[in-house]
Amino acid sequence: MASSAAVSAPLAAPSSKIETNSSHPSQNFSIRGAGGGGVRLANLGDQEENACPTAVVQSRSDLDKGIAVYFRPKEPRHQEIVESSSLNINFYLDYYECANLTVWKVDNYPKPPKHNTISTAAKLGNPLDVNSWFQIKSLGGSTYKLVFCPYGEKFTCQNVGIAEENGYNRLVLAENAKAFVFIKHGGIGKAVA
C-alpha cells in the first residue's frame, strides 16, 4: 500500500487536491453517488457462482458505504491525488483469493459496444494498460465525476455513468456523468452497511 497516494482537502482550483469529508489525509475511502450508496463489486451472472465478483456497481441502498478504494497515480513521483491526473482505482479487499481482481478497467475498450462496462482485473500501475486509467474532475463543492482517459489527454476522456444491468446500477462509460463524493472509509477491506 505504500505506493498508493493520499486524498486530502481542500479543493481550490484545477489540478488541486481532491476534497474528502475528512480533515486528515486518507488513502482508503468510499466512492458514493447521489441516489444510492457506495461503489462495490457484484457477480452479475456472467461468471461462475463461486468466482470472485468483478462487475463494478453502485449499491441501491443509501446506507451501504461500499468497499474501500485507493487511488494510484500513473506518475509514480506524485504523492497526492489531484484533478485531471491519470490514476488507477483499486478496491481494497482482504480476500486473498480475489487480490488480483481489484483494479478497475473498461471492458472491451476500444471496441464500441452498446456501452462499455466497468469491471476489475487490470494490472495496477501498468502504463501500457490503457483501459485502466481514470481521472477525477470537479463538479463543484465536494462533488466529482469520474472519467475514463486512456491516453491522459482531455479530448479522449469519457464520463463514467450508471446503467441498469441484471438489477444492479452498473458503472459504464456514458454521455451523462454520475456525481460522486469521496468519504473516509473506516471498514478497510470490507463492505460496510
Side-chain angles (χ1 to χ4, degrees), residues 40-86:
R40 61 175 41 261
L41 291 166
N43 185 333
L44 299 184
D46 55 351
Q47 302 173 284
E48 293 181 26
E49 188 174 318
N50 294 325
C52 295
T54 59
V56 180
V57 301
Q58 180 194 10
S59 175
R60 292 182 182 273
S61 170
D62 289 337
L63 301 176
D64 183 351
K65 293 180 183 176
I67 299 174
V69 299
Y70 66 91
F71 296 130
R72 179 164 186 218
K74 186 174 190 177
E75 181 55 53
R77 70 177 182 255
H78 290 171
Q79 295 300 308
E80 298 174 325
I81 301 302
V82 295
E83 286 187 66
S84 303
S85 63
S86 294

Side-chain angles (χ1 to χ4, degrees), residues 104-122:
W104 293 24
K105 67 181 181 78
V106 174
D107 296 319
N108 305 313
Y109 183 81
K111 298 177 185 174
K114 178 179 162 186
H115 56 257
N116 290 97
T117 55
I118 311 289
S119 66
T120 58

Side-chain angles (χ1 to χ4, degrees), residues 137-154:
K137 309 264 186 189
S138 177
L139 292 175
S142 61
T143 306
Y144 299 89
K145 69 177 181 175
L146 298 172
V147 293
F148 170 62
C149 300
Y151 303 105
E153 295 100 11
K154 292 179 183 180

Side-chain angles (χ1 to χ4, degrees), residues 22 32 46 97 124:
S22 171
R32 297 189 54 140
D46 55 351
E97 297 82 22
L124 185 64

